[in-house]
Amino acid sequence: MHADRRAWLASLRPGPVGYRPLDLARGGLGALVGIVVAALAARVLPGGPAALPFIVAPMGATAVLLFAAPASPLAQPWSVLVGNVVSTLVGVTAGKLIDDVALAAAVAVGCAIVVMMLLRCVHPPGGACALFAAVGGSAVAEQGYAFAVLPVGVNTVVLLAVGALVNNLTGRPYPHVPPPPPPSQGTDLAPSERVGVSTEDVTRAIARLDRGLDVLPGDVVALVRDAEAHALDRRLGRLRVGALMARDVKSVLPGDTLYRARMVINQHHVKAVPVVDAEHRVVGIITVFDLFNRDVVEFDPVSKVMTTPVTTVSEDTPVAELVELMTDRGLRNLPVVDGDGRLVGIITRTELIAVLHRALVGS
């Protein structure tokens, strides 16, 4: 009994993930601005009886999703706009057909949920829109189906516009797009998907659980990968790239000949050479493959065959993050740059394998 009570009390406490000051400001100030602008927009537009509200209560719930949980599938533009508008139409219809207020409200919400599920636009405030439209009184009844446009449609569109502006300006891309899966060769899975959780695995798990989980499979995979990288970083002792990279790294200029690049590779027994500009900023990379497996002329410039833009890392990059870069993306040599993009070293797959080997042997 006491154990069950403790478990119940624990379930009421907040989870381990807190909100940053920026998240709090985005949620509070974003909703404030969004509601004010949405109300003013509906207020200045002509149409409808004088008693018609210029903003409806469900917009408060929409604002919560847009500014506090913008990555939720329930907060994406299709769900927000179509969910609110279609549910309002359902509510108006229920109010017209059913005289009993309680029954009209129940039918409106129940049917709105079904319609939103069928249209894949589930948005919780849509249920409130349906209820409000069904029991909203004479002004709503007089406005009829136009109530879905003014004020509901206008409120929703303005909130979406403000939500997109505020979220993107504060570093939260909106609409939310899950991280793309790792690139793979042909139809084969990327290495991390062969040995770990894939998007398809998560999709099937959600279908098997059948609990209506409010999460996108791509986001789950990204979360799992990030947790795996964090765990590996902890296991490697928070090792950073700066501790492993080779600092005495040779480079060439874009205008140097391929002959010179070949000589650098042969003399220093390396498989790749960063290409830098006059200020020593990395602008590309040239590999053994570029020199020996292409139809090129010895005195062609390096810029003709170099790979650009090139993926780089900083000295403070956790070594654990190199796993994804060097497995899923197939990178073997990563130039290391400072804050201005200037070359300070290079790290290869050889160093990564050595570190992982030591971690495995020491476990």
Side-chain angles (χ1 to χ4, degrees), residues 117-197:
M117 293 176 70
L118 290 174
L119 295 179
R120 297 182 179 275
C121 62
V122 175
H123 183 58
C129 287
L131 189 149
F132 189 91
V135 302
S138 59
V140 176
E142 183 179 345
Q143 184 78 337
Y145 290 111
F147 185 71
V149 178
L150 183 68
V152 174
V154 173
N155 290 164
T156 303
V157 169
V158 172
L159 268 178
L160 275 171
V162 175
L165 181 64
V166 170
N167 279 297
N168 283 291
L169 287 178
T170 56
R172 287 291 296 270
Y174 182 87
H176 173 69
V177 179
S184 57
Q185 300 294 327
T187 58
D188 292 335
L189 291 175
S192 61
E193 288 198 323
R194 291 200 295 269
V195 301
V197 176

Side-chain angles (χ1 to χ4, degrees), residues 3 17 26 57 61 64 113 121 126 135-136 139 154 160 175 222 292 299 312 326 339:
V17 179
R26 181 192 299 117
V64 172
I113 290 174
C121 62
V135 302
V154 173
L160 275 171
F292 295 96
F299 295 101
T312 61
M326 290 187 167

Side-chain angles (χ1 to χ4, degrees), residues 220-301:
V220 175
V221 173
L223 180 66
V224 171
R225 297 274 167 76
D226 187 74
E228 289 174 342
H230 182 76
L232 180 58
D233 185 35
R234 185 182 65 250
R235 187 170 182 179
L236 295 178
R238 314 293 182 187
L239 190 62
R240 295 297 182 259
V241 165
L244 292 181
M245 69 181 189
R247 296 182 180 273
D248 184 22
V249 54
K250 304 302 177 182
S251 62
V252 294
L253 298 171
D256 286 343
T257 64
L258 295 178
Y259 174 79
R260 169 168 167 72
R262 195 193 304 271
M263 291 297 295
V264 170
I265 287 177
N266 287 337
Q267 289 177 1
H268 297 279
H269 306 290
V270 294
K271 295 183 179 180
V273 177
V275 184
V276 299
D277 61 16
E279 297 181 350
H280 215 58
R281 290 189 175 92
V282 177
V283 295
I285 192 168
I286 187 167
T287 67
V288 173
F289 176 87
D290 298 323
L291 293 174
F292 295 96
N293 292 281
R294 296 187 182 183
D295 185 17
V296 293
V297 180
E298 288 286 347
F299 295 101
D300 281 340

